[in-house]
């Protein structure tokens, strides 16, 4: 369980706005579908380019990061960094 993704952080490169989506809380684990929908909704409101960062386990040291310039890159990042663990 310690290597599961814990948070997804989206950072807009132009405005420096950020959104943190918690995937695992003390009470439940969110589904990939729910997390993906929240990411896509935030990006549609704030635009590209963004940085997608996924943190794993209890420490913030283990993470994957990817620059996304279009929706296809965002989908790929979510699939590669999150979906394989949650489904």
């Amino acid at each position: 369980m310690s290597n599961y993704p814990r948070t997804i952080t989206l950072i807009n490169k132009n405005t420096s706005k950020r959104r943190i989506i918690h995937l695992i809380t003390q009470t439940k684990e969110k589904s990939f579908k729910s997390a993906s929908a929240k990411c896509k909704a935030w990006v549609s409101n704030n635009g590209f380019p963004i940085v997608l960062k996924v943190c794993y386990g209890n420490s913030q040291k283990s993470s994957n990061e990817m620059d996304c310039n279009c929706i296809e890159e965002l989908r790929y990042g979510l699939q590669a960094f999150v979906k394989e663990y949650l489904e």
Side-chain angles (χ1 to χ4, degrees):
M1 180 93 169
S2 64
N3 63 345
Y4 280 82
R6 309 279 295 171
T7 61
I8 299 172
T9 305
L10 302 168
I11 305 167
N12 184 297
K13 287 183 169 182
N14 295 331
T15 63
S16 298
K17 287 185 181 179
R18 69 177 52 225
R19 170 82 159 99
I20 299 173
I21 299 167
H22 296 273
L23 296 171
I24 299 175
T25 62
Q26 290 183 358
T27 56
K28 67 177 184 173
E29 179 179 318
K30 294 182 183 173
S31 71
F32 173 75
K33 186 176 180 182
S34 169
S36 178
K38 287 181 181 181
C39 289
K40 290 174 186 172
W42 187 86
V43 170
S44 70
N45 289 333
N46 293 287
F48 287 100
I50 64 159
V51 175
L52 169 69
K53 182 177 180 182
V54 179
C55 295
Y56 302 91
N58 292 330
S59 71
Q60 298 295 329
K61 294 178 183 177
S62 176
S63 66
N64 282 323
E65 193 171 306
M66 177 180 172
D67 291 339
C68 300
N69 296 306
C70 63
I71 195 71
E72 289 80 19
E73 291 177 353
L74 176 63
R75 285 186 189 131
Y76 173 78
L78 289 170
Q79 294 266 337
F81 300 151
V82 179
K83 188 174 184 177
E84 68 182 65
Y85 294 95
L86 294 183
E87 290 188 349

